[in-house]
Amino acid sequence: MGIEFVYEDGQTPLNDDEKEGILIKSITTHGELDEHEQLNIEKAIEWVIGLKLEKERILTEEFIKTLHKKMLGKVWRWAGEFRRSEKNIGVKWINIGIDLRTLLDDTKFWIENKTFPPDEIAIRFKHRLVNIHCFPNGNGRHSRIMADIIIESVFGETIFTWNHSNMVKANETRAEYIKSIREADKGNIKRLINFART
């Protein structure tokens, strides 16, 4: 029978091939899927905590893919692989590698030249990464963890609180998060920075 996928505002629908990539065939509801993904993500965060990370390692395509694989690799076959389909958000899939390389280079420049304050660098990176939308799914969670890694490992600052939510469930917090992302899309990054620190 399979899972009936229900998408909240701002979530990326999977195509049929991507849905076939589920590794745990006993999952029958979207709620169960969320639980399995969250357990996997918690293990990925434990993995990150155990690493000694330098900017040179974090700001690479390899690390971006490895983190996604660690986050969702026990749930999805395609975890850690760039998407090969068009989505309701993101660049054309064929441009992912080029756009990611530009983002990584820009971020290194921002850090070296102190172009923005630390919080703003991390959140600008997060916002552009989610807009590239490297993977079939999990991009929001992945980009938030990347922002946390950058703020902590590169700048030695405390990680973001993200309103004490994983933003999976539709509620006021997720709605505010989506509004903050859309404001950032228009060039106003402040609301997203404030959300991340609330």
Side-chain angles (χ1 to χ4, degrees):
M1 182 170 135
I3 303 171
E4 184 178 331
F5 287 86
V6 180
Y7 298 102
E8 306 296 346
D9 183 30
Q11 288 183 325
T12 310
L14 297 173
N15 68 24
D16 289 341
D17 287 343
E18 292 159 351
K19 289 176 188 173
E20 290 299 314
I22 196 157
L23 296 172
I24 306 167
K25 300 301 181 190
S26 62
I27 294 175
T28 58
T29 68
H30 215 140
E32 289 173 0
L33 175 63
D34 289 345
E35 285 177 30
H36 280 279
E37 286 182 343
Q38 189 57 36
L39 285 170
N40 206 170
I41 289 166
E42 287 167 15
K43 286 197 167 54
I45 291 168
E46 288 172 16
W47 170 76
V48 167
I49 290 169
L51 295 176
K52 288 282 283 171
L53 292 170
E54 293 101 25
K55 172 186 65 183
E56 293 72 30
R57 181 170 176 197
I58 296 165
L59 297 175
T60 63
E61 179 179 310
E62 179 187 10
F63 185 79
I64 300 274
K65 287 180 166 180
T66 300
L67 176 62
H68 193 269
K69 178 91 172 161
K70 294 278 184 188
M71 285 173 57
L72 297 173
K74 290 194 174 13
V75 182
W76 294 105
R77 186 177 299 115
W78 41 254
E81 296 172 16
F82 289 161
R83 64 181 161 86
R84 295 186 163 272
S85 64
E86 300 304 334
K87 297 293 176 194
N88 59 341
I89 184 176
V91 300
K92 290 190 178 305
W93 72 265
I94 202 154
N95 294 332
I96 291 170
I98 296 162
D99 284 25
L100 180 60
R101 164 63 36 219
T102 302
L103 171 58
L104 295 169
D105 288 346
D106 286 353
T107 306
K108 289 172 192 169
F109 178 88
W110 298 337
I111 292 165
E112 287 160 17
N113 293 282
K114 298 180 172 63
T115 307
F116 308 107
D119 277 8
E120 187 168 345
I121 290 174
I123 297 303
R124 281 183 180 275
F125 177 89
K126 176 261 180 294
H127 177 251
R128 282 208 12 220
L129 185 62
V130 85
N131 279 340
I132 293 169
H133 233 64
C134 298
F135 306 102
N137 209 338
N139 293 282
R141 290 168 287 178
H142 177 268
S143 66
R144 289 190 295 274
I145 293 170
M146 281 298 302
D148 285 341
I149 291 169
I150 290 169
I151 201 66
E152 186 173 54
S153 297
V154 175
F155 295 108
E157 306 273 340
T158 57
I159 62 170
F160 299 101
T161 57
W162 302 109
N163 223 278
H164 307 284
S165 172
N166 65 11
M167 261 78 70
V168 171
K169 303 235 180 307
N171 58 23
E172 286 178 26
T173 303
R174 181 172 174 79
E176 177 56 30
Y177 172 65
I178 297 297
K179 284 180 193 164
S180 300
I181 293 283
R182 291 186 177 143
E183 279 290 310
D185 292 345
K186 296 176 199 166
N188 178 12
I189 200 82
K190 299 289 184 232
R191 186 170 182 172
L192 188 54
I193 295 169
N194 291 340
F195 179 91
R197 280 290 177 210
T198 302

